[in-house]
Amino acid sequence: MKSYGIFPRRKVAPLLGKYIDEAARNEDIEIYGFHLTTGAHTDSVPFHQRNYDSIDLGTRAASKYSHTKRDTPDKVDPKVLKEACILTRRVIKNLDNDFQNLDIQK
């Protein structure tokens, strides 16, 4: 895992990124990588603190509401939520299939 930026640092997980890109291709889902503003990626911090790779999934449209009092269920786009679930499911299945062959050094 590499870290870029400052307070809190932007964390990236290359292996998870590879699996997400692969899942998106297999499921014909368009994804665009981007970095949310400082503090908006705090959902992954507890995982990184325990040395687990983690990636936040979000959209540019949703990023303006993330972690604010306007971050309410009515902002959820059902299509985006469904695609996130499909991607997550595919990544988990592929990680499980490859588990014995992964070179994980913790």
Side-chain angles (χ1 to χ4, degrees), residues 60-92:
R60 286 190 190 277
S63 67
K64 64 182 170 186
Y65 302 112
S66 290
H67 300 286
T68 71
K69 64 182 179 181
R70 298 181 318 165
D71 191 358
T72 56
D74 61 298
K75 305 293 187 305
V76 175
D77 180 331
K79 179 182 182 284
V80 172
L81 181 58
K82 180 179 180 181
E83 289 178 344
C85 291
I86 290 168
L87 287 176
T88 301
R89 179 177 161 261
R90 171 70 79 148
V91 168
I92 291 169

Side-chain angles (χ1 to χ4, degrees), residues 14-70:
L15 183 61
L16 283 176
K18 176 187 119 183
Y19 276 94
I20 286 177
D21 288 341
E22 180 182 297
R25 278 192 307 277
N26 291 336
E27 298 292 344
D28 198 27
I29 295 173
E30 288 189 63
I31 58 171
Y32 307 94
F34 73 99
H35 178 58
L36 295 174
T37 57
T38 301
H41 58 284
T42 55
D43 294 338
S44 64
V45 169
F47 295 97
H48 292 301
Q49 288 175 331
R50 289 164 180 81
N51 294 320
Y52 291 105
D53 287 355
S54 177
I55 294 176
D56 290 312
L57 299 177
T59 64
R60 286 190 190 277
S63 67
K64 64 182 170 186
Y65 302 112
S66 290
H67 300 286
T68 71
K69 64 182 179 181
R70 298 181 318 165

